[in-house]
């Protein structure tokens, strides 16, 4: 049973469930349903799909995650950050005036592919891959997505459609539409009232279902005032009932065309969910298996694909609603899913009174929450290089689109890593009066260097991109000394690896040092690095007697071997010798 619990945590929840939790889970599930219905429909629209598919997706994902998800309160479903990615993947495969069923089938296939990728990553224990997007790049990517969504939804808020490709094209189309007088006054009023309703509810309390209230107010106004006669568009009747599970009707060529998009979306989904899962676990004092989180995410996406849905991810906002409403276990998600099914069976006609501008308002609010101007400003203050990375990621999404933006984000993160390792921080060390250890001369100009000795620290693994930098900087440190240098001690604690290129450079460095009569020694060399040097044949040249456990013992070895005029002072009674 323990093994089963690892793969199906819902079973463990059932066995350990307490009756007193039932009321909390029920109320939280009902509160969650109130948010999920309008958001699910809105995010389906954002993905270029019929609104009802958002309800199918949400119900399937909630139930699947309740069974396989390791987090007791995390909520999965359609996500505003995924909408543009899904649309970018499936819309190019649709001909003009294509049957909506074709779009639904492609979205279902995309969800299945994303699910398979997540399942494979979970079983292969590849959770580390989600760490390939650095925080600044991630912030820039999400800000770019938010801007694309905001600009794309503004015409719908005003009651017209605008053509244009990319952020700039859509912005130009919006401005042209407003200038040409295409704004529908009634739509603008509905949209603004919806925005205001959601904003006021959030200001009062995040527990208030502002999204639901906005949709109810907009629906009542549409029905009572007959706003469709004033140019306000509505969703239309939602098909009643629950779809029968089945594979999407697509061709093999569609699988090939969507596979790359599925890999990119899966990467974003895994990164988002992994981050939120770790945050929730730390907050609640729990431990969550990241690989099972991946498998649960895969199961939820497969379920969504089988029920005419589209890819899903974790949602911080909906999880916060469940948490603040008192959720105790995954039963909250099950109740939310059942609530959506009830809506599908009994309340399909409500779509005739749900105005499109109100849905646009829901999406705009969701996009607004993705904007993180505060962190961008903080990056500008504390680290300009990372701010520029964030801006580059933002522009990558805005200029090239959502899906290419994923590749750009990963490339920028990896490029930033290589840049840091390519030109890492290094230091020549000396002794500071009254302080233990050896310290950076640049930060402590008063530090004293030992006659005839250079102590050099290189803060990175030694590999092909920085090996020459290591050699050149070490030689420069020798040449900067006024008196002849007899030894160089490399403070090697930060050096976690040496590749074959690094070994070649070390061999050349040993030749150059021997020609100058300088002995190379290492202090604090890690065991695995020492093993690598031994396999390269370098330890025989360096000599075991020139490998020291600490910098202090290396200095003692230098003084003993050379008779250098140096006597260290005690930390208790500092003073120059």
């Amino acid at each position: 049973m323990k093994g089963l619990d690892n793969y199906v945590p819902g079973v463990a929840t059932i066995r350990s469930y307490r009756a007193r939790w039932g009321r909390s889970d029920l109320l939280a599930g009902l509160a969650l349903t109130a948010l999920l219905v309008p958001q699910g429909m809105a995010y389906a629209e954002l993905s270029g799909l019929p609104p009802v598919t958002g309800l199918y997706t949400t119900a399937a994902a909630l139930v699947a995650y309740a069974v396989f998800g390791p987090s007791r309160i995390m909520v999965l479903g359609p996500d505003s950050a995924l909408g543009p990615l899904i649309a970018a993947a499936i819309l190019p495969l649709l001909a003009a005036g294509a049957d909506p069923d074709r779009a639904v089938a492609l979205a279902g296939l995309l969800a299945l592919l994303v699910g398979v990728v997540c399942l494979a990553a979970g079983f292969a224990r590849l959770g580390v891959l989600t760490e390939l997007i650095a925080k600044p790049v991630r912030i820039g990517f999400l800000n770019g997505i938010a801007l694309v969504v905001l600009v794309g939804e503004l015409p719908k808020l005003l009651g017209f459609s605008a053509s244009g490709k990319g952020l700039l094209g859509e912005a130009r189309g919006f401005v042209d539409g407003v200038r040409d007088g295409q704004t529908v006054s009634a739509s603008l009023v509905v949209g603004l009232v919806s925005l205001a309703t959601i904003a006021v509810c959030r200001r009062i309390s995040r527990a208030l279902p502002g999204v639901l209230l906005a949709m109810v107010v907009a629906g009542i106004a549409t029905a009572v005032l007959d706003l469709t006669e004033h140019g306000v568009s509505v969703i239309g009747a939602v098909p009643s009932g629950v779809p029968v599970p089945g594979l999407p009707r697509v061709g093999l060529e569609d699988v090939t065309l969507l596979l790359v998009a599925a890999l990119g979306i899966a990467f974003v989904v895994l990164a988002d969910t992994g981050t939120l899962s770790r945050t929730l676990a730390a907050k609640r004092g729990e431990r969550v298996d990241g690989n099972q989180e991946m498998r649960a995410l895969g199961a939820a996406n497969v379920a969504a694909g089988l029920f005419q849905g589209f890819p899903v991810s974790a949602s911080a906002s909906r999880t916060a609603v469940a948490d603040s409403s008192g959720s105790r276990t995954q039963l909250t998600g099950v109740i939310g899913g059942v609530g959506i099914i009830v809506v599908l069976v009994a309340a399909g006609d409500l779509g005739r009174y749900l105005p499109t501008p109100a849905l646009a308002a829901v999406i705009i609010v969701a996009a607004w929450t993705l904007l993180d101007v505060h962190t961008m400003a903080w990056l500008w203050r504390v680290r300009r290089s990372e701010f520029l990375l964030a801006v580059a990621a933002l522009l990558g999404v805005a200029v090239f689109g959502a899906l290419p933006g994923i590749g750009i984000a990963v490339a920028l993160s990896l490029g930033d890593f290589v840049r840091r390792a390519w030109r890492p921080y290094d230091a020549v060390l000396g002794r500071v009066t009254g302080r233990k250890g050896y310290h950076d001369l640049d930060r402590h100009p008063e530090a004293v260097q030992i006659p005839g000795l250079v102590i050099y620290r290189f803060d990175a693994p030694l590999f092909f991109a920085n090996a020459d930098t290591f050699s050149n900087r070490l030689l420069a440190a020798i040449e900067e000394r006024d008196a002849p240098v007899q030894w160089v001690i490399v403070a090697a604690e930060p050096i976690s690896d040496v590749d074959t290129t690094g070994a070649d450079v070390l061999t050349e460095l040993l030749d150059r040092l021997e020609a100058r009569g300088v002995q190379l020694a290492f202090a604090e060399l890690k065991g695995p690095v020492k093993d690598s040097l031994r396999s390269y044949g370098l330890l025989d040249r360096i000599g075991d007697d020139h490998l020291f456990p600490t910098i202090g013992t290396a200095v003692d070895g230098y003084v003993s071997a050379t008779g250098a005029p140096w006597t260290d002072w005690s930390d208790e009674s500092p003073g120059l010798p």
Side-chain angles (χ1 to χ4, degrees):
M1 293 301 295
K2 183 177 180 181
L4 180 63
D5 291 350
N6 291 335
Y7 290 95
V8 191
V11 173
T13 300
I14 293 173
R15 289 207 313 272
S16 62
Y17 199 83
R18 301 290 183 267
R20 64 179 182 274
W21 297 346
R23 181 176 181 275
S24 297
D25 282 340
L26 175 62
L27 294 177
L30 294 176
L32 193 60
T33 303
L35 176 67
L36 293 172
V37 171
Q39 276 197 346
M41 298 174 75
Y43 294 165
E45 287 261 335
L46 179 61
S47 303
L49 297 164
V52 71
T53 60
L55 303 183
Y56 299 158
T57 301
T58 305
L62 285 173
V63 174
Y65 188 81
V67 176
F68 297 101
S71 174
R72 290 197 164 210
I73 66 166
M74 191 157 67
V75 177
L76 263 63
D79 186 69
S80 57
L82 294 185
L85 303 180
I86 297 167
I90 64 176
L91 292 183
L93 304 184
L94 298 174
D99 184 354
D101 290 342
R102 166 73 172 161
V104 172
L106 290 173
L109 172 61
L110 186 61
L112 287 175
L113 292 174
V114 170
V116 170
V117 172
C118 293
L119 285 169
F123 283 111
R125 310 183 72 82
L126 297 179
V128 67
L129 293 180
T130 62
E131 301 171 5
L132 289 180
I133 299 184
K135 177 180 178 178
V137 176
R138 179 178 173 78
I139 294 298
F141 174 78
L142 290 178
N143 275 292
I145 290 290
L147 288 176
V148 170
V149 172
L150 281 171
V151 173
E153 292 299 313
L154 285 176
K156 298 177 184 177
L157 191 76
L158 274 62
F160 65 90
S161 59
S163 60
K165 187 176 182 180
L167 179 64
L168 295 179
E170 291 186 348
R172 188 180 302 112
F174 169 69
V175 173
D176 291 343
V178 173
R179 185 184 57 202
D180 296 341
Q182 298 181 37
T183 301
V184 177
S185 299
S187 293
L188 177 59
V189 171
V190 170
L192 292 179
V193 170
S194 299
L195 285 173
T197 302
I198 298 171
V200 170
C201 288
R202 290 196 171 198
R203 174 73 66 175
I204 296 172
S205 172
R206 287 191 172 271
L208 286 175
V211 171
L212 175 65
L213 184 59
M215 297 301 295
V216 169
V217 171
I220 292 174
T222 301
V224 172
L225 302 177
D226 198 13
L227 292 181
T228 55
E229 294 297 320
H230 297 276
V232 177
S233 62
V234 294
I235 295 173
V238 175
S240 62
V242 180
V244 177
L247 293 173
R249 295 183 179 180
V250 292
L252 184 60
E253 67 279 4
D254 294 321
V255 176
T256 305
L257 292 172
L258 287 177
L259 185 57
V260 173
L263 290 171
I265 293 174
F267 189 87
V268 173
V269 165
L270 291 172
D272 275 349
T273 304
T275 300
L276 181 58
S277 178
R278 290 192 297 270
T279 302
L280 289 173
K283 178 183 175 182
R284 295 166 62 88
E286 299 172 350
R287 291 190 63 186
V288 171
D289 182 351
N291 294 305
Q292 178 57 29
E293 197 71 80
M294 287 183 168
R295 293 190 287 267
L297 195 56
N301 275 281
V302 169
L306 293 176
F307 282 91
Q308 300 181 25
F310 49 89
V312 298
S313 181
S315 169
S317 62
R318 279 161 281 176
T319 300
V321 168
D323 190 19
S324 63
S325 300
S327 173
R328 301 297 298 270
T329 70
Q330 298 97 317
L331 182 60
T332 295
V334 175
I335 293 171
V338 172
I340 291 174
I341 293 173
V342 171
V343 171
L344 285 168
V345 173
D349 286 344
L350 290 178
R352 295 176 179 175
Y353 304 104
L354 293 181
T356 301
L359 279 185
V362 174
I363 296 173
I364 287 173
V365 170
W368 187 263
T369 61
L370 288 178
L371 282 174
D372 194 349
V373 178
H374 174 75
T375 302
M376 293 286 285
W378 177 76
L379 289 173
W380 171 260
R381 291 195 306 270
V382 302
R383 201 174 185 108
R384 297 287 173 86
S385 61
E386 294 198 358
F387 170 80
L388 294 176
L389 275 176
V391 171
L394 187 156
L395 293 176
V397 176
V399 175
F400 298 102
L403 283 175
I406 299 173
I408 293 171
V410 174
L412 286 173
S413 293
L414 295 178
D416 184 48
F417 167 75
V418 173
R419 177 187 66 83
R420 294 171 189 270
W422 184 20
R423 293 292 184 267
Y425 189 81
D426 67 337
V428 176
L429 308 181
R431 200 71 167 86
V432 178
T433 302
R435 299 190 65 172
K436 293 182 178 181
Y438 294 81
H439 303 275
D440 184 353
L441 291 177
D442 288 338
R443 301 181 69 86
H444 298 277
E446 74 279 12
V448 178
Q449 289 188 270
I450 301 169
L453 175 66
V454 170
I455 304 175
Y456 177 70
R457 191 186 72 218
F458 190 74
D459 294 348
L462 201 60
F463 69 114
F464 65 91
N466 64 19
D468 285 331
T469 299
F470 168 82
S471 177
N472 293 335
R473 289 180 178 177
L474 187 148
L475 292 172
I478 294 174
E479 293 168 358
E480 289 172 2
R481 293 292 291 271
D482 295 331
V485 173
Q486 300 180 67
W487 273 37
V488 173
I489 297 174
V490 177
E493 195 274 336
I495 300 177
S496 57
D497 188 30
V498 178
D499 71 359
T500 55
T501 303
D504 288 342
V505 170
L506 277 177
T507 301
E508 296 172 3
L509 178 63
L510 283 167
D511 293 339
R512 298 176 71 173
L513 292 178
E514 288 177 2
R516 297 185 180 202
V518 177
Q519 175 64 52
L520 180 64
F522 286 88
E524 302 175 343
L525 193 65
K526 290 180 169 62
V529 179
K530 189 182 299 184
D531 294 340
S532 295
L533 294 181
R534 181 176 290 108
S535 66
Y536 299 144
L538 287 172
L539 282 191
D540 293 336
R541 290 197 59 183
I542 297 169
D544 288 334
D545 56 338
H546 292 102
L547 302 178
F548 300 93
T550 66
I551 298 177
T553 57
V555 171
D556 292 341
Y558 161 71
V559 172
S560 175
T562 63
W566 173 261
T567 301
D568 204 352
W569 58 88
S570 69
D571 296 304
E572 291 76 15
S573 303
L576 291 175

